[in-house]
Amino acid sequence: MSLLVVGSIALDSVATPFGQTADAPGGSAVFFAAAGCLLHPVQVVGVIGSDYPLGVLKQLESRGVDLTGVEQVEGESFRWKAKYSYDLSSRETLDTRLGVFAHFRPKIPAAFQQAKYVFLGNIDPGLQLGVLDQVTEPDLVACDTMNYWINSKKDLLLELLRHIDILMVNDTEAREISGDWNIYRAAHWILEHGPQRVVIKQGEHGALLVDKETTFKVPAYPLQEVFDPTGAGDAFAGGFMAYVASVKNVSTASLRRAMVHGAAMGSFSVEAFGIEGFDKVTLSDVRARVRAFKDLVHFELD
Amino acid sequence: MSLLVVGSIALDSVATPFGQTADAPGGSAVFFAAAGCLLHPVQVVGVIGSDYPLGVLKQLESRGVDLTGVEQVEGESFRWKAKYSYDLSSRETLDTRLGVFAHFRPKIPAAFQQAKYVFLGNIDPGLQLGVLDQVTEPDLVACDTMNYWINSKKDLLLELLRHIDILMVNDTEAREISGDWNIYRAAHWILEHGPQRVVIKQGEHGALLVDKETTFKVPAYPLQEVFDPTGAGDAFAGGFMAYVASVKNVSTASLRRAMVHGAAMGSFSVEAFGIEGFDKVTLSDVRARVRAFKDLVHFELD
C-alpha cells in the first residue's frame, strides 16, 4: 500500500529574522517526504539539475524515501529565494529560477504506478492530471495548487478537481479558486466541484477538514519559537497522507487523526530552517505531539 | 453568587456589506449582558444619556439583567459609528462621540458590591481599579482593555494586571501590551505581570486560554453567514463569565467549558446585527452549539 508524492525538488535560500539558508533542500516533494517518512515509506517523483547536492536526498533515502522516480537532468536545479517579515506573517519572493523544473514532465516508474495514496504537489494542473493517468487505482488522491494556476489554468484545475478526493490548499487559495471570502462557503464551493473533502491550511491558525456534512478543526501547535514557515503546508500534507497510508483507512475518523498528524508535522517543520526540523524527530516525538493536540482542545461537556 | 459587568452602554451605527444599523444598543456592557443572561443573571453598571432608548434595556431586564447600576444623566449617550470592509476583516471608525460616557465614574450599588464574578469592560484602567476598590471579595475578576489605554495609560494598566485573575484581550492588544508578536510569548509576558490566566480572542480563529503550564484553544464556530462582528468579544466574555457564575467553579476544567460557552455566544452575536442575535436564542440552542464545538475538534487517539 504505497504512498507517492509528485512535486518540486528545490534549493531554497530563505531569510527570516532568525537566520538564513542558502541553497538548502526544499520544494513540496522534499518537505512532504521528510515529514511523511516518519510514518510510512514515501515514493518521490521529481526532477533535479546536475548541480543538486545528492547528500541530503541520500539521507532521506536512509529514512525510507524511495528516490527511484527522481530524475537528474543536465541543467540548473529549481531555486527559490525569499525573505520573511519580522513577524513571519508575510514573505517576499526575491528570485525564482525554475531551471530544469520548467520542463518537468512527471514519469511515474512502473514500481510506483500501483500507489494507493497519491499526493500531487503544487505543479501545473495539466501535469497533475498526467500523473493520474499513470497511476492505476489509487484509494486516495490529494492535491495542492497555487494562485498562479488558479489564475492561469482555471479550466484544467476544475477538470482536475473532478478526479481527486481531497483538495488541500491554504485559505487564500480557497478564497481565490471559489471567489468567496467566507472560508466555509469557499470550502463548499470546492466540494460542489468534485472532491469529497477539502483541507484548508490556515498557517498559525491550524487547518480545517470540510466535507458536505461536517467540519473538523485542528489548531496549530502553540510554539513560542518559530524559525522558518517555509514548507509547513507540504510537511502537513506529508504527515496527513503518510498517516492514512500507515493505517490504510480513509474513514472520517481516520482522516481527523490524519489532520492532527499533519499539524504535528507542520509544527516540527517550522521549528527549524528547511527540513532540518525533521533530522532528530522520532516516531515517539510525533506520538507525544499528537497527544498534546488532544489536550490542547480537550474539554468535557457538563 | 452574582455576576457584575462594568462597561460602556452605547448607541452603535454600523455598516456592513449586508446592511446597517443606526443608534442600535451596543457597548461592552450591553453585549456582555445580552449574551451572559442566557446562562446567569447579570448586574450592569454603566451610564446612559437622556436620549437613550430605554425599551431595549427593559427587554434585557426581562431576561435577567439587573439595571440598578445604570445611571441616566443629562446629556448625549455614547455613540459609535463604523464601517466594515467587504470581507468583515477590517473596520473603519467613522465617528466616536463619548457624550456622558466621558465623565463615567462607576459607582457600584451596595447590592452589587458582593459580586463574586466581575468583568471589567474596556474603560480607563484607572476606573477599572476604582471598581475593584468597591467590590468586597470577588472569586474571579476578568478584564478587557484596548490599544488606546495600552499606549496612554500603561502604568495604570500594569497596576491593574496585579489585581485581576484573567486578562481577556484580542491578539493585537496582547501583542501591543507585551511588545511581542508571538502570541504565546505575549501571553506568557502578561502572565508574568499578574494575572493567573490570559484569554486571547482571535476573531474568526477562536480564542486561547493560557496559564503558566497549559494552553487551551477553542476555534470559532464555522459560520457561512456572518452579518456583524461588532461586540463578539464582549459576547464571548459574557458567555465565559456567566458560565463560570452558573457553575460556581473556577477550576481549569470549568474555565475550558467557559471558553466554549464564550465562543458559542460570540457565534450567536455575529449572526445578526448588534445584540439582535440573542433575541431568539434559548438555553437549549446554547447547549446544542456547545456540543457542536465538541464535535468540531473531536478526534480519537490511535
Side-chain angles (χ1 to χ4, degrees):
Chain A
M1 302 292 263
S2 56
L3 169 62
L4 168 67
V5 59
V6 182
S8 60
I9 304 177
L11 294 171
D12 291 346
S13 298
V14 169
T16 84
F18 315 109
Q20 54 186 48
T21 56
D23 282 352
S28 60
V30 169
F31 278 100
F32 183 101
C37 69
L38 279 158
L39 299 171
H40 192 271
V42 181
Q43 301 169 336
V44 176
V45 168
V47 66
I48 57 177
S50 38
D51 56 353
Y52 205 89
L54 296 175
V56 176
L57 295 185
K58 291 287 167 198
Q59 264 195 10
L60 288 177
E61 207 163 31
S62 72
R63 298 187 210 161
V65 177
D66 186 336
L67 301 167
T68 312
V70 176
E71 194 184 0
Q72 187 164 31
V73 303
E74 191 63 32
E76 281 195 20
S77 298
F78 178 18
R79 281 182 170 76
W80 179 71
K81 189 172 180 178
K83 187 181 174 184
Y84 283 86
S85 63
Y86 75 100
D87 61 357
L88 306 177
S89 70
S90 64
R91 73 182 178 204
E92 185 189 357
T93 292
L94 303 173
D95 196 19
T96 303
R97 282 186 280 161
L98 292 176
V100 299
F101 190 60
H103 309 288
F104 180 41
R105 299 290 174 274
K107 285 180 284 291
I108 313 302
F112 293 3
Q113 292 174 4
Q114 282 77 44
K116 287 294 168 198
Y117 306 97
V118 178
F119 183 72
L120 305 171
N122 161 37
I123 54 174
D124 185 319
L127 300 181
Q128 291 173 318
L129 280 163
V131 170
L132 294 186
D133 289 338
Q134 299 175 62
V135 292
T136 52
E137 211 177 354
D139 284 344
L140 189 78
V141 176
C143 174
D144 191 8
T145 191
M146 72 183 289
N147 50 359
Y148 180 78
W149 307 119
I150 296 169
N151 295 322
S152 64
K153 303 215 172 174
K154 181 102 178 235
D155 287 350
L156 270 176
L157 190 54
L158 290 176
E159 170 69 16
L160 178 68
L161 289 186
R162 289 191 281 275
H163 295 90
I164 64 171
D165 302 294
I166 302 180
L167 183 69
M168 199 177 283
V169 289
N170 69 34
D171 39 13
T172 308
E173 290 152 359
R175 290 182 169 116
E176 286 200 48
I177 196 171
S178 66
D180 198 322
W181 56 264
N182 179 291
I183 205 66
Y184 302 102
R185 285 200 306 262
H188 283 271
W189 186 98
I190 293 165
L191 295 177
E192 280 160 22
H193 287 78
Q196 282 187 301
R197 293 184 171 91
V198 56
V199 171
I200 296 178
K201 298 171 286 182
Q202 302 173 296
E204 62 170 321
H205 297 296
L208 295 165
L209 171 67
V210 184
D211 64 27
K212 281 194 174 138
E213 284 80 38
T214 62
T215 298
F216 174 70
K217 167 88 183 196
V218 61
Y221 187 74
L223 290 174
Q224 291 194 39
E225 301 292 344
V226 173
F227 287 96
D228 177 10
T230 309
D234 294 305
F236 179 99
F240 181 101
M241 294 296 288
Y243 175 80
V244 175
S246 72
V247 296
K248 302 171 189 60
N249 183 340
V250 297
S251 69
T252 297
S254 172
L255 293 184
R256 286 182 167 217
R257 283 189 287 272
M259 290 287 288
V260 180
H261 283 78
M265 295 302 182
S267 71
F268 290 128
S269 179
V270 303
E271 285 185 294
F273 281 99
I275 57 167
E276 287 173 17
F278 295 104
D279 283 355
K280 290 180 180 167
V281 176
T282 64
L283 188 55
S284 141
D285 296 329
V286 178
R287 289 190 173 138
R289 192 148 290 188
V290 167
R291 284 194 301 274
F293 272 95
K294 187 81 183 163
D295 182 63
L296 178 61
V297 297
H298 179 74
F299 70 96
E300 297 287 349
L301 292 170
D302 283 304
Chain B
M1 301 294 263
S2 57
L3 168 62
L4 169 67
V5 59
V6 182
S8 59
I9 303 177
L11 294 171
D12 292 346
S13 297
V14 168
T16 84
F18 315 108
Q20 54 187 48
T21 56
D23 283 351
S28 60
V30 170
F31 278 100
F32 182 101
C37 69
L38 278 158
L39 300 171
H40 191 272
V42 181
Q43 302 169 334
V44 176
V45 169
V47 65
I48 56 176
S50 37
D51 57 353
Y52 205 90
L54 295 176
V56 176
L57 294 185
K58 290 287 168 200
Q59 265 196 9
L60 288 177
E61 208 163 30
S62 72
R63 298 187 209 159
V65 176
D66 186 337
L67 301 168
T68 311
V70 177
E71 193 183 0
Q72 187 165 29
V73 303
E74 191 63 34
E76 282 195 17
S77 298
F78 178 19
R79 281 180 168 79
W80 179 72
K81 189 171 182 180
K83 188 182 173 185
Y84 283 86
S85 62
Y86 75 101
D87 61 358
L88 305 179
S89 70
S90 65
R91 73 181 178 204
E92 185 189 354
T93 292
L94 303 174
D95 195 18
T96 302
R97 282 186 280 162
L98 292 177
V100 299
F101 189 59
H103 307 289
F104 180 42
R105 299 288 174 277
K107 284 180 284 293
I108 312 302
F112 293 2
Q113 293 175 3
Q114 281 77 44
K116 287 294 169 198
Y117 306 97
V118 177
F119 183 72
L120 305 171
N122 162 38
I123 54 175
D124 185 317
L127 299 183
Q128 291 173 318
L129 279 164
V131 170
L132 294 185
D133 288 338
Q134 299 175 62
V135 291
T136 51
E137 210 176 354
D139 283 346
L140 189 78
V141 176
C143 173
D144 191 5
T145 190
M146 71 183 290
N147 51 1
Y148 180 78
W149 308 119
I150 295 169
N151 295 322
S152 65
K153 303 217 172 172
K154 181 101 178 237
D155 286 350
L156 271 176
L157 190 55
L158 291 176
E159 170 69 16
L160 178 68
L161 288 187
R162 288 191 282 275
H163 296 89
I164 63 171
D165 302 295
I166 303 179
L167 184 69
M168 197 176 285
V169 288
N170 70 34
D171 40 13
T172 308
E173 291 152 358
R175 289 181 170 116
E176 285 200 50
I177 196 171
S178 66
D180 198 324
W181 55 266
N182 178 291
I183 204 66
Y184 302 103
R185 284 200 307 263
H188 283 271
W189 186 98
I190 292 164
L191 295 176
E192 281 159 21
H193 286 76
Q196 281 187 302
R197 294 183 170 91
V198 55
V199 171
I200 297 178
K201 298 170 288 182
Q202 302 173 295
E204 62 170 321
H205 297 296
L208 295 165
L209 171 67
V210 184
D211 64 26
K212 282 198 171 130
E213 284 79 37
T214 63
T215 298
F216 174 71
K217 167 90 184 194
V218 62
Y221 187 73
L223 290 175
Q224 291 193 40
E225 301 293 345
V226 173
F227 286 94
D228 177 10
T230 308
D234 294 305
F236 179 99
F240 181 100
M241 293 296 288
Y243 176 80
V244 175
S246 73
V247 296
K248 303 172 187 61
N249 182 340
V250 296
S251 69
T252 298
S254 172
L255 293 183
R256 286 181 167 217
R257 283 189 288 272
M259 291 287 289
V260 180
H261 283 78
M265 295 302 182
S267 70
F268 290 127
S269 178
V270 304
E271 285 185 293
F273 281 97
I275 58 168
E276 288 172 16
F278 295 104
D279 283 355
K280 290 180 180 168
V281 176
T282 65
L283 189 55
S284 142
D285 296 329
V286 177
R287 289 190 175 137
R289 192 148 288 187
V290 166
R291 284 194 301 275
F293 272 94
K294 187 81 183 165
D295 182 64
L296 177 61
V297 297
H298 179 74
F299 69 96
E300 297 286 348
L301 291 169
D302 281 305

